[in-house]
Amino acid sequence: MHLLNLGILAHVDAGKTSLTERLLHSAGVIDEIGSVDDGNTRTDTLALERRRGITIKSAVVSFPVDAVTVNLIDTPGHPDFIAEVERVLGVLDGAVLVVSAVEGVQPQTRILMRTLQCLRIPTLLFVNKIDRRGARYDDLLSAISERLRAAVVPMGSVEGLGTREAGFVPGLDPRAPVVLAEHDDELLTAYVENTVSYDLLRTALADQTRQVLVHPVYFDSAITGAGVDALITGIKELLPAAEGDPQGPLSGTVFKVERGPAGEKIAYARMFSGTLRTRDRITFGDTRDSSDTSPAGDTREEGKVTAITVFDHGTDIASDSVPAGRIGKLRGLGEIRIGDSIGVPRKAVEHFFAPPTLETVVVPAPDTDRRSLHLALTQLAEQDPLIGLRHDEERQETAVSLYGEVQKEVIQTTLADEFGVHVTFRETTPLCIERPNGTGAAVEFNKKDPNPFLATVGLRVDPGPVGSGVRFGLEVELGAMPYAFFKAVEDTVRETLGQGLHGWRVTDCAVTMTHSGYSPRQSHAHQGFDKSMSSTGADFRGLTPLVLVEALRRAGSQVYEPMHRFRVEAPADTLAALLPVLAALRAVPQTTETHGSLCVLEGEVPAAQVHGLERQLPGLTRGEGEWECAFDHYAPVAHGTVPERTRTDHNPLNRKEYLLNVTRRVA
């Protein structure tokens, strides 16, 4: 069976979901085309999606194209839900990137295209809304080529552009041989000798599309259906089939997790090798980076698959197996999470987009049950692993990390609609990090004051390269004490670094265990194990935070705030009004270019100021300004007081308070 896992991606409101409806209708899967405005589309199944008219969660639907079975994945277009798109990218064989013929290349379009090219995912471009007033053709092709930095091959021409009668006439554009000949010596020779044949062009087009050297462009209206048949032909002939050996070792990736009617977990998984069958007992879990030298290794779980469904002809049907190349919905794996590898891990989990850079505290309504709120937030976080939760037991507060304000509104509505929990939020604040300034070391020895724990732990903290995360290593023999104690130290180190000297997550550092020691198991005749004289994992978990924060104190730490790279395209005569506002919000323009009556500014701005700039830009630019923004790097906090984050742990920075909380003893 010829399989293709196809993603539909675009900037918000470009027409992805409308295109999905048209594809399903053309393939005979649905009898009536749904409307985003009417809230009856096949892939926007959440009540909130139907009300707001936007896609929030990715959805899978299958349709046949002759001998090809296409698993189509509709993804969100709004940047606040970029985590949904990220998870889908790793399971795609090809993609269709939708561009509006009226609005043209938009900020999210550029971000998505850069990522698709970086991941080498073959991509067709679909220019939608050719029937709308203001639709463009030639200048839009030029803009796509220039702004997306892509070699494009128009797959036909448009008649009646900008009218309800707009239509697409299939046929290779006369420019196609020139574009394709740049990557094909045989075609270049034939072009020079004027012997180019249609078959030679078509073969070169398919090969270069699959190698991500060129991108075929189709023009259409998803509403009227003009050009959709040509796109379907392109999907069938130009994009590569799913690869994988059904007889090979079992290997797959989970890209989505949802809850069933009874609260059970349902995992969406793409199989890359082997065949997964009902009642199979499998291993799954995340995979550490290959450069991680810690003794803990991979975190793997075991579970039994109790039921499988696969996608076919617009629905999901029960099946006893899911072979390589297909997407299946798996039940029975209660501990499974998004991003987990099934069977043989393919590679460590990669993040193509930046993590959230904002945070807000959830404020429950007066009559809200806090346990219900905690459960609801935990289930939401399961479905979106890039969204983190921080629970403060002492203050009974939960903070949630975010990409933007729209996401906050969606979380609020989802909690009310699906869980019956009503909340508001505090002001959104930037999510900073800490990095060590230098090297620091500390050690506490077993049975020596002021150490109340039966453990010896010595740790050294060294700064690491930017982007290296946290590395844990040993300078003591692994056999010097039981493995469980080493693992207790490493796990506690990683947990403790979630809150540094100023309360922010500490990253880009190496932590090395320099000293270790323990009290062997003690027992007495007729009395058994004497816990008071024997080391346990709790001793190492209790002592490690004290040693680590002391080493971090001696190293010192610097707070860094998230900085976004921005691009503003606006009328040149609005620059005088725009620049003072940028300066007041600490935005730093780094390049300025003028193209006729337009001015393009590029620079960096603190994440905390992005939302304010987005709100002011329309008024400053007469509604003509275009804003593109994405996380770029962390920079040292250079203005005002250093931001502090409230701690949610037992506060190892205060030894007396910590020991009272952990051991009820004061050293």
Side-chain angles (χ1 to χ4, degrees):
M1 180 187 295
H2 186 140
L3 293 167
L4 170 64
N5 296 296
L6 178 73
I8 305 289
L9 301 92
H11 187 96
V12 66
D13 289 335
K16 291 181 294 68
T17 304
S18 297
L19 173 60
T20 299
E21 290 292 305
R22 179 61 66 175
L23 289 171
L24 295 176
H25 182 264
S26 297
V29 170
I30 57 177
D31 297 326
E32 184 176 348
I33 296 174
S35 167
V36 174
D37 293 335
D38 294 339
N40 58 356
T41 58
R42 190 62 174 262
T43 52
D44 285 345
T45 56
L46 300 178
L48 181 57
E49 290 178 315
R50 296 179 184 274
R51 284 204 306 272
R52 292 187 64 108
I54 61 172
T55 302
I56 297 171
K57 296 292 183 183
S58 59
V60 183
V61 64
S62 177
F63 65 90
V65 179
D66 296 334
V68 180
T69 296
V70 178
N71 286 326
L72 187 150
I73 309 177
D74 185 18
T75 64
H78 199 285
D80 279 13
F81 309 109
I82 196 68
E84 279 289 317
V85 180
E86 175 175 81
R87 295 190 285 272
V88 168
L89 292 175
V91 304
L92 297 182
D93 304 304
V96 174
L97 181 61
V98 184
V99 181
S100 168
V102 180
E103 289 84 7
V105 176
Q106 296 171 281
Q108 191 76 347
T109 318
R110 288 161 53 91
I111 293 170
L112 292 170
M113 180 54 112
R114 283 197 299 266
T115 308
L116 289 166
Q117 290 176 327
C118 178
L119 297 175
R120 310 298 297 168
I121 297 175
T123 303
L124 309 181
L125 293 171
F126 181 80
V127 179
N128 192 22
K129 304 181 183 180
I130 61 172
D131 58 322
R132 300 285 183 87
R133 181 178 298 176
R136 297 169 290 153
Y137 181 80
D138 286 320
D139 65 329
L140 181 56
L141 281 173
S142 299
I144 289 173
S145 180
E146 178 183 344
R147 299 193 61 191
L148 297 184
R149 298 179 182 177
V152 298
V153 178
M155 299 301 293
S157 58
V158 176
E159 295 180 341
L161 186 67
T163 69
R164 293 292 294 177
E165 289 72 36
F168 181 73
V169 182
L172 279 175
D173 189 275
R175 291 166 281 193
V178 178
V179 176
L180 296 171
E182 291 185 17
H183 309 286
D184 190 320
D185 291 340
E186 180 185 356
L187 181 58
L188 178 60
T189 301
Y191 180 72
V192 172
E193 296 176 352
N194 199 27
T195 59
V196 176
S197 66
Y198 177 81
D199 290 341
L200 182 61
L201 276 177
R202 197 74 186 183
T203 300
L205 178 64
D207 289 343
Q208 293 185 32
T209 300
R210 292 168 185 169
Q211 295 177 54
V212 200
L213 297 174
V214 300
H215 301 280
V217 183
Y218 297 85
F219 283 75
D220 171 47
S221 166
I223 299 299
T224 66
V228 168
D229 289 342
L231 175 65
I232 291 175
T233 300
I235 291 171
K236 177 180 68 174
E237 297 180 355
L238 301 179
L239 295 179
E243 297 180 350
D245 179 9
Q247 307 304 319
L250 189 68
S251 180
T253 298
V254 176
F255 66 92
K256 179 178 179 178
V257 173
E258 64 183 16
R259 293 275 179 173
E264 74 280 13
K265 278 189 179 180
I266 303 172
Y268 288 64
R270 156 76 191 268
M271 302 308 299
F272 292 95
S273 175
T275 299
L276 179 60
R277 295 178 174 84
T278 305
R279 294 184 294 279
D280 278 357
R281 193 161 192 84
I282 61 172
T283 59
F284 57 88
D286 65 347
T287 306
R288 293 272 176 85
D289 191 293
S290 59
S291 61
D292 191 344
T293 58
S294 64
D298 295 345
T299 304
R300 306 286 283 172
E301 302 278 352
E302 283 195 4
K304 182 179 179 181
V305 179
T306 58
I308 295 174
T309 54
V310 296
F311 296 92
D312 192 28
H313 284 75
T315 187
D316 51 317
I317 58 175
S319 175
D320 59 0
S321 66
V322 52
R326 294 204 77 161
I327 292 174
K329 293 167 66 174
L330 315 179
R331 286 175 168 82
L333 306 175
E335 301 301 318
I336 203 158
R337 299 174 300 172
I338 293 171
D340 279 357
S341 294
I342 292 175
V344 179
R346 298 180 68 233
K347 58 182 177 180
V349 176
E350 290 185 49
H351 293 310
F352 315 124
F353 302 108
T357 57
L358 302 172
E359 185 178 60
T360 186
V361 173
V362 181
V363 180
D367 58 344
T368 297
D369 179 62
R370 292 183 180 274
R371 288 175 298 178
S372 299
L373 173 60
H374 177 82
L375 177 62
L377 287 171
T378 301
Q379 290 195 11
L380 287 182
E382 283 178 356
Q383 300 170 21
D384 200 337
L386 292 184
I387 305 303
L389 299 177
R390 292 178 73 246
H391 300 290
D392 186 338
E393 296 295 336
E394 182 178 340
R395 296 170 181 80
Q396 291 294 297
E397 292 180 348
T398 299
V400 57
S401 51
L402 302 166
Y403 280 98
E405 295 298 317
V406 172
Q407 188 179 17
K408 184 195 291 186
E409 297 172 20
V410 168
I411 291 174
Q412 183 181 36
T413 305
T414 302
L415 288 172
D417 291 353
E418 297 187 15
F419 299 95
V421 176
H422 299 277
V423 301
T424 56
F425 298 93
R426 291 186 191 159
E427 182 183 3
T428 303
T429 57
L431 202 53
C432 300
I433 63 168
E434 292 182 48
R435 291 183 177 129
N437 288 331
T439 296
V443 61
E444 294 204 24
F445 293 97
N446 186 13
K447 299 180 180 178
K448 288 189 177 181
D449 285 340
N451 177 11
F453 301 100
L454 294 177
T456 294
V457 174
L459 298 171
R460 185 179 69 246
V461 177
D462 296 294
V466 173
S468 62
V470 175
R471 295 287 182 267
F472 182 83
L474 301 176
E475 281 186 359
V476 295
E477 292 290 338
L478 188 57
M481 63 181 186
Y483 166 78
F485 295 161
F486 283 114
K487 189 173 190 308
V489 171
E490 182 193 357
D491 290 347
T492 307
V493 163
R494 295 184 183 278
E495 180 181 351
T496 303
L497 288 179
Q499 301 178 75
L501 302 181
H502 299 280
W504 304 103
R505 178 176 61 90
V506 182
T507 187
D508 299 338
C509 64
V511 179
T512 306
M513 190 169 184
T514 58
H515 296 76
S516 67
Y518 72 109
S519 295
R521 182 183 179 94
Q522 302 289 320
S523 60
H524 304 284
H526 312 297
Q527 294 182 10
F529 171 52
D530 187 346
K531 183 177 180 181
S532 67
M533 299 177 61
S534 309
S535 296
T536 65
D539 288 299
F540 288 89
R541 288 190 293 272
L543 180 59
T544 297
L546 291 172
V547 177
L548 182 59
V549 298
E550 182 58 32
L552 194 58
R553 264 200 191 102
R554 296 174 182 178
S557 72
Q558 170 77 52
V559 176
Y560 290 71
E561 64 178 333
M563 302 294 291
H564 284 226
R565 183 82 183 172
F566 73 84
R567 182 181 187 275
V568 176
E569 185 175 302
D573 61 357
T574 65
L575 196 59
L578 186 58
L579 286 175
V581 175
L582 291 174
L585 295 176
R586 296 197 286 129
V588 181
Q590 295 172 331
T591 62
T592 305
E593 297 179 1
T594 302
H595 304 282
S597 62
L598 288 178
C599 182
V600 178
L601 293 177
E602 292 189 4
E604 59 184 41
V605 59
Q609 309 298 337
V610 168
H611 186 56
L613 270 174
E614 289 176 337
R615 286 184 299 178
Q616 294 188 55
L617 188 68
L620 295 169
T621 61
R622 301 192 298 271
E624 299 178 45
E626 183 180 292
W627 171 266
E628 179 181 339
C629 182
F631 170 79
D632 188 67
H633 67 285
Y634 287 95
V637 175
H639 297 270
T641 58
V642 175
E644 301 281 338
R645 191 188 199 195
T646 304
R647 302 192 71 89
T648 60
D649 58 8
H650 292 308
N651 191 16
L653 292 173
N654 184 322
R655 187 182 185 93
K656 181 177 179 180
E657 177 186 337
Y658 177 82
L659 291 176
L660 278 171
N661 288 324
V662 175
T663 68
R664 303 302 174 188
R665 289 178 291 173
V666 181

